[in-house]
Amino acid sequence: METHVPHVSSEENEDPGAAPYGNFINYYSFNPPENRLGLIPEALLENIGFGSDRSERVLMLDVGCNSGDLSVALYKHLLHEDASGSVSPKRELHLLGFDLDQDLILRAQNSNPFPQNIQFIPLDITDAQESRAALEAYLGRFVCPRFHLCTCFAVTMWVHLNHGDAAFLSLLSRLASLSEFLLLEAQPWKCYRSAARRLRKLGRSDFEHFKALEIRGDMAAHAKEHLEKQCSMELVQSFGNTTWDRSLLLFRRR
């Protein structure tokens, strides 16, 4: 699947903290997959009505997958990896992960242990036309109208800071339209202030939209309100907060 995205590279950031799009080159060294997996039940797919028939095909989408470490770890987690490192051969789970950083995607592709079931592509979710074409093409391969489960971990803030309030709400609407279930981790407002402060300390220009943002405060609550009132979704479960005090919220289509 070929996609075209503007060249965004984590390798251009001399300082690991200088990642204005959240494309940290060492992200999983300071926020390892276990920080989320410890809150997500292994039986999540069965709990939401998918995968109880072990021959059933399930499609997952991971938005903003970085170098793919969490995507792969979650894939194994949901397939109940055993002590030998093997996963269930009968359940057909397909996962598509994407990120706008082409260097991170290349790392993900080169280290992918399940290339038949996991695919990584460079894609910018804020490019509505490009992302729609790429994701619809993937779904079309499986003759499926949407993904059974979409995960979006720590992406909302970067879209919000770089593209503004309208893009934040548009992202949520887009995720809702793509998925039957959405597992969302929205960064709290304190993370926005930290990201802006980090850029200033590095002598970089501030985020273009930061000072003009009107959607502020409890970002998880803002996301929940938009998804429930505007996107025909409902909150079905909160899995608690990560070690970074970010809530993991599961929504479903009504």
Side-chain angles (χ1 to χ4, degrees), residues 32-47:
E34 294 75 21
N35 285 354
R36 278 97 170 208
L37 295 186
L39 298 174
I40 301 171
E42 288 187 351
L44 175 61
L45 293 180
E46 292 89 340
N47 293 346

Side-chain angles (χ1 to χ4, degrees), residues 60-64 74 149-153 175 181-184:
M60 282 184 57
L61 178 68
D62 188 20
V63 177
L74 183 59
L149 174 64
C150 173
T151 59
C152 183
F153 300 109
L175 297 177
F181 284 81
L182 169 62
L183 182 57
L184 180 70

Side-chain angles (χ1 to χ4, degrees), residues 168-174 221-233:
F168 170 74
L169 299 177
S170 178
L171 170 65
L172 295 171
S173 298
R174 185 90 178 95
H222 286 306
K224 175 178 179 291
E225 180 181 23
H226 182 75
L227 288 168
E228 292 187 333
K229 292 185 176 180
Q230 303 298 328
C231 304
S232 299
M233 299 203 91

Side-chain angles (χ1 to χ4, degrees), residues 16 24-36 66-67 69-70 107 244:
F24 298 99
I25 59 175
N26 61 343
Y27 181 75
Y28 293 111
S29 67
F30 57 82
N31 193 7
E34 294 75 21
N35 285 354
R36 278 97 170 208
N66 196 271
S67 58
D69 299 44
L70 179 56
R107 284 170 53 189
W244 286 24

